Amino acid sequence: RGLRAENRVLRGLVLGASEEVFSFNSPIMREMENMAVRVARTNSTVLITGESGTGKGVVARLIHQKSLRADGPFIPVNCGAIPENLVESEFFGHTRGSFTGADKARKGLFQEADGGTIFLDEIGELPLALQVKLLHVIEHKEVRPVGSEQTRSVDVRIVAATNRDLREMVIQGKFREDLFFRLSVFHIHMPPLRERRQDISALIEFLLRRGMLRNGGNSERKILLGSGVGELLVNYAWPGNVREMENVLDRALILSDGVRITLADLPPQITKAAQQPRQDSIQSSGTLREQVRKYEADIILRAIEESGGDRRAAAQKLDIGLSSLYRKLEEFEEQKLAPEAQYGRHETGQD
């Protein structure tokens, strides 16, 4: 244990301090982080699911860094990027002359990950024939290189990820059920950004700091957001999730004057989305008072939705008292501006 700690210190001196870690605000992501840290202490296989760009690879690396294997290798593999005829050789290695072009023996990715973690991203793209062999590795902790009659023991922790519905693939016969059960011993789901809007503002600041540092700037100097930019970024749907946000902010940093990001620095898909009025929040009929009340109801109901139904969290987010929030909900119900079944008087279990 002392040697591991010493290795981490030496690695920090050589490579520099580790990157700043983002702190989540949303309860759903704090729970996810807690689950990742808890499973990291074990040798259990982990399946991470979620849409593209939600940060599944970041969670896989977190699991490795918090595990007893942290000083071992972390080998990320994109299963969908390897040609089908080369997957077995890439995974398990090959002997010299085992196929055309194999002029020397080569270790596979599983042997390279020995003593550490292998991260199998896009596991749903793995051919059925390789799924059988991967199941063998999980069950027997050994690999057999292509062209060899000898097996080699490997001590590897497997973390897999996918944006596909593996249960549906099992039903369709495209993914082995036994492998699915082996991989999903511990399942972590990454929710999309639109379901955890409490993280968006802080995530924007975090990615801007990291982007400035990566581009040679001073991460201590805070870049400003011009009029309307912050609101636009927070309200955008982010279909590409964190990956899309990072690309948008990196582009904006390049186009900006280094002091302030303006609307002109944002890509068309974001500015155009802002020009399309929300049908549920903008009403063209009724008196001014009625329209204002409808708009107020939309803001409050959206805050409750983004807080996962937790009214206390919604009240804190809106900077109003909990009793004020309940009073307004009662008024909305009376004026038929809110569905009673969903936003009635009863508190959630989190309250």
Side-chain angles (χ1 to χ4, degrees):
R1 183 176 297 174
L3 181 59
R4 286 198 185 101
E6 183 179 348
N7 286 341
R8 290 194 183 99
V9 172
L10 290 173
R11 186 187 305 165
L13 291 173
V14 174
L15 300 178
S18 59
E19 284 192 355
E20 179 186 1
V21 177
F22 178 71
S23 298
F24 297 107
N25 294 320
S26 61
I28 191 172
M29 290 303 289
R30 287 180 179 174
E31 176 61 22
M32 180 282 302
E33 188 174 30
N34 179 54
M35 290 174 63
V37 171
R38 292 179 68 177
V39 75
R41 304 170 189 149
T42 73
N43 278 319
S44 172
T45 56
V46 181
L47 177 64
I48 307 172
T49 60
E51 296 178 6
S52 294
T54 49
K56 297 185 290 295
V58 174
V59 176
R61 191 174 292 273
L62 171 67
I63 291 171
H64 173 71
Q65 291 172 342
K66 295 294 183 179
S67 74
L68 296 177
R69 300 172 177 268
D71 293 319
F74 176 81
I75 307 295
V77 184
N78 187 328
C79 299
I82 306 175
E84 186 170 343
N85 61 326
L86 295 178
V87 176
E88 184 175 2
S89 172
E90 287 291 318
F91 273 27
F92 311 128
H94 60 256
T95 60
R96 181 181 178 182
S98 56
F99 56 85
T100 304
D103 52 354
K104 61 180 180 180
R106 181 174 179 271
K107 278 186 177 182
L109 294 168
F110 273 84
Q111 286 181 274
E112 290 183 16
D114 193 26
T117 303
I118 190 166
F119 172 47
L120 302 179
D121 197 10
E122 297 190 28
I123 189 70
E125 307 301 322
L126 201 64
L128 278 169
L130 261 295
Q131 292 179 25
V132 179
K133 297 184 178 181
L134 176 58
L135 182 64
H136 178 86
V137 175
I138 296 174
E139 292 179 338
H140 299 284
K141 301 186 184 303
E142 63 182 20
V143 298
R144 187 171 71 177
V146 176
S148 174
E149 295 182 357
Q150 301 294 323
T151 60
R152 293 169 172 78
S153 298
V154 289
D155 174 24
V156 178
R157 203 256 185 88
I158 297 176
V159 178
T162 183
N163 60 5
R164 303 181 67 177
D165 186 344
L166 292 188
R167 290 184 182 276
E168 182 61 29
M169 291 183 67
V170 168
I171 294 173
Q172 296 174 357
K174 297 178 180 179
F175 201 86
R176 292 184 62 94
E177 184 177 43
D178 45 8
L179 178 59
F180 170 72
F181 288 132
R182 284 289 187 178
L183 291 174
S184 59
V185 171
F186 196 90
H187 177 212
I188 295 177
H189 179 69
M190 293 292 290
L193 267 181
R194 62 182 176 273
E195 293 180 7
R196 48 185 174 102
R197 291 190 174 275
Q198 289 162 288
D199 290 323
I200 291 182
S201 294
L203 186 58
I204 290 170
E205 292 185 15
F206 174 80
L207 293 176
L208 284 173
R209 282 198 307 273
R210 195 169 73 175
M212 291 180 67
L213 185 63
R214 188 168 53 240
N215 292 327
N218 182 3
S219 63
E220 298 298 323
R221 182 172 61 83
K222 186 175 180 180
I223 191 164
L224 301 175
L225 298 180
S227 176
V229 173
E231 182 180 1
L232 207 59
L233 294 175
V234 169
N235 292 328
Y236 180 60
W238 298 111
N241 294 294
V242 181
R243 186 179 297 131
E244 181 186 11
M245 178 182 285
E246 187 167 23
N247 290 343
V248 166
L249 295 178
D250 282 348
R251 176 185 186 272
L253 283 172
I254 293 171
L255 294 177
S256 73
D257 59 7
V259 177
R260 185 188 308 272
I261 292 176
T262 67
L263 291 173
D265 301 324
L266 300 180
Q269 76 265 22
I270 293 182
T271 53
K272 286 181 180 178
Q275 295 168 3
Q276 299 174 356
R278 285 174 56 99
Q279 295 300 318
D280 58 349
S281 62
I282 297 179
Q283 304 289 338
S284 59
S285 60
T287 65
L288 176 62
R289 181 180 177 82
E290 289 172 343
Q291 292 186 56
V292 168
R293 291 294 285 168
K294 290 175 183 176
Y295 185 65
E296 182 183 33
D298 179 72
I299 292 174
I300 291 176
L301 297 182
R302 199 185 319 163
I304 293 174
E305 179 182 355
E306 292 169 0
S307 299
D310 187 339
R311 297 169 185 76
R312 181 172 285 109
Q316 291 174 350
K317 180 178 181 180
L318 296 170
D319 196 23
I320 62 175
L322 185 60
S323 59
S324 297
L325 184 138
Y326 278 122
R327 186 174 63 254
K328 288 182 179 295
L329 288 177
E330 289 177 355
E331 293 172 359
F332 297 158
E333 289 174 15
E334 292 173 359
Q335 298 168 20
K336 302 194 182 302
L337 296 176
E340 182 175 358
Q342 187 173 358
Y343 303 106
R345 300 175 59 91
H346 301 291
E347 295 192 27
T348 67
Q350 294 177 329
D351 287 348

